[in-house]
Amino acid sequence: MLARDPLPPAVFEVNRLTLEYPTAAGTVRAVDDVSFRAGEGERLALLGPSGCGKSSILKAVAGFLKPASGAIKVRGRDVKGPGPDRIVVFQEFDQLLPWKTVRQNVEFPLRMAAKLSKAEIRERTETTLKKVGLERVIDSYPHTLSGGMKQRAAIARALVTDADVLLMDEPFAALDALTRSQLQRELLELAEELGFTLLFVTHSIEEAILIGTKLHLLSPHPGRTITSLDSHEFGREDIGTARLENLTREVHDLLFSPKIRKGAPENV
Ligand SMILES: Nc1ncnc2c1ncn2[C@@H]1O[C@H](COP(=O)(O)OP(=O)(O)OP(=O)(O)O)[C@@H](O)[C@H]1O
Ligand SMILES: [Mg+2]
C-alpha cells in the first residue's frame, strides 16, 4: 500500500452526519450521511439548493441540533452543545444590541462569562476592536455604523471570547449587490488577518467560490454530499475572468446534473 500524507488536524469535522426533525406527519430527514472537514484557517463554503439542509448542518455544528447519527468534532472533541470555541454570526449581524455601544456589545459575552476582571475585560475589548479597525467608533451605537463596520463589530464580539470557529448562515443574502461585494471583501481581509476558521453557508455559487477555500456541494432535499472541491486559488481578483466563470459553470453542472435530480423528483 502507498503511504499517504497524513491529513492536517481538523478544526471542525463532520462525519457521516444525518439530521432529522420530528414533525406531526412523521420524521423528516433533512441531511443524509454528510461528511466534511476544515483545517486551521480554512473557509468551508456549504453550497446547495434551498431546503437541502445547510442551516440545519450549521445549527448542528453550533451545537443547537443533535445528530440523528454521525459525529461532529471541533478540535477533536465531540460537539455536545453550544460552546465558546464556536460562534454563529447571524444574518445582517443583528446580534448587536441596538441600545448598547460597540464597546458594550463586544464586552457583553465577556461579562456574561464572568471570568475576567473589569480592567481585563476593558483591555481585551479594546485590543479586539483595534484588531478589526473599529477603535474610532468604540463608543458609537450600532445604527450609526456602516454595514461593513457592523460586520466587523459582530466578528469582534465573536472573537473576543477566544472563539476561533465562525459559523455564518447566508450573512449577505438580503443585501444589495454593492454592499454584498464590499462585505465579502471585508470578511476575506479579516479572515486572512485574524486566521479564524469559517463555515459559511450560501446559495450563491460565485460567493462560495470567492469566500471559500473549499466548497462542499449538497444535493436537494434531503442533503447528501455531491462532492468537495478545492477553491483556495480563487479570490476576488478573479471576478469577471474566464477561469472563475468556468469553475462557476462546473459547480453549477455538478449541483444540477440530471443524475442528482433523479433522486429528488420534487426539484425537477
Ligand atoms: N424545525 C423544523 N421542523 C421540521 N422540519 C424542518 C425544521 N427545520 C428545517 N426543516 C426541514 O429540513 C430541511 C432542511 O432545512 P434547512 O433550513 O436546513 O435548509 P437550507 O438548506 O438552509 O434552506 P435555505 O437555503 O432555504 O435556507 C427542509 O426540508 C426543512 O423543511
Ligand atoms: Mg438556510
Side-chain angles (χ1 to χ4, degrees):
M1 216 168 82
L2 283 173
R4 284 175 50 184
D5 283 343
L7 286 169
V11 173
F12 59 80
E13 190 171 4
V14 164
N15 200 1
R16 309 210 63 176
L17 179 69
T18 294
L19 298 172
E20 291 176 343
Y21 291 101
T23 70
T27 302
V28 173
R29 179 162 291 192
V31 172
D32 190 21
D33 197 14
V34 166
S35 304
F36 55 77
R37 71 202 304 280
E40 201 70 57
E42 278 191 310
R43 301 186 295 270
L44 189 138
L46 265 185
L47 185 63
S50 185
C52 75
K54 304 181 294 299
S55 297
S56 302
I57 293 174
L58 195 114
K59 279 181 206 152
V61 175
F64 297 118
L65 185 61
K66 213 170 156 286
S69 63
I72 304 169
K73 286 187 179 357
V74 173
R75 295 192 190 280
R77 292 166 69 173
D78 281 317
V79 166
K80 295 207 172 90
D85 49 354
R86 291 147 282 147
I87 204 139
V88 185
V89 178
F90 291 101
Q91 208 170 48
E92 292 177 63
F93 324 113
D94 52 8
Q95 65 267 55
L96 295 176
L97 302 169
W99 60 87
K100 288 188 186 286
T101 63
V102 169
R103 178 202 297 280
Q104 290 165 341
N105 264 291
V106 173
E107 277 180 356
F108 189 68
L110 293 180
R111 283 173 181 266
M112 295 298 286
K115 282 192 200 140
L116 300 175
S117 71
K118 269 191 178 167
E120 284 167 328
I121 289 179
R122 195 178 171 86
E123 198 199 319
R124 176 111 58 117
T125 301
E126 288 179 0
T127 309
T128 309
L129 282 167
K130 256 189 212 133
K131 262 194 215 163
V132 301
L134 285 184
E135 61 270 46
R136 212 170 45 79
V137 293
I138 201 160
D139 293 312
S140 303
Y141 286 90
H143 75 273
T144 66
L145 306 182
S146 72
M149 289 165 147
K150 272 189 211 157
Q151 168 167 258
R152 281 184 269 155
I155 289 175
R157 193 173 187 262
L159 298 176
V160 78
T161 58
D162 286 340
D164 62 354
V165 178
L166 258 60
L167 310 172
M168 297 179 105
D169 191 353
E170 309 213 40
F172 311 138
L175 304 171
D176 65 89
L178 276 180
T179 311
R180 182 174 190 148
S181 169
Q182 185 207 338
L183 292 190
Q184 287 172 345
R185 180 169 49 77
E186 293 207 2
L187 176 63
L188 284 172
E189 282 169 8
L190 277 182
E192 292 293 338
E193 211 176 298
L194 306 175
F196 50 78
T197 307
L198 182 66
L199 177 58
F200 185 90
V201 164
T202 179
H203 271 113
S204 157
I205 296 175
E206 188 175 287
E207 180 166 275
I209 296 171
L210 294 180
I211 300 281
T213 53
K214 249 184 186 178
L215 311 180
H216 196 79
L217 274 47
L218 296 171
S219 72
H221 177 78
R224 297 191 179 99
T225 295
I226 298 173
T227 190
S228 284
L229 297 170
D230 182 348
S231 57
H232 82 276
E233 285 184 355
F234 287 82
R236 291 180 44 86
E237 63 283 3
D238 296 300
I239 293 174
T241 62
R243 73 192 279 269
L244 178 60
E245 223 171 85
N246 288 341
L247 182 60
T248 305
R249 194 170 317 119
E250 196 183 309
V251 171
H252 181 276
D253 290 348
L254 283 164
L255 283 169
F256 298 104
S257 76
K259 198 172 126 234
I260 292 150
R261 284 181 168 203
K262 230 183 262 163
E266 71 269 31
N267 283 286
V268 176

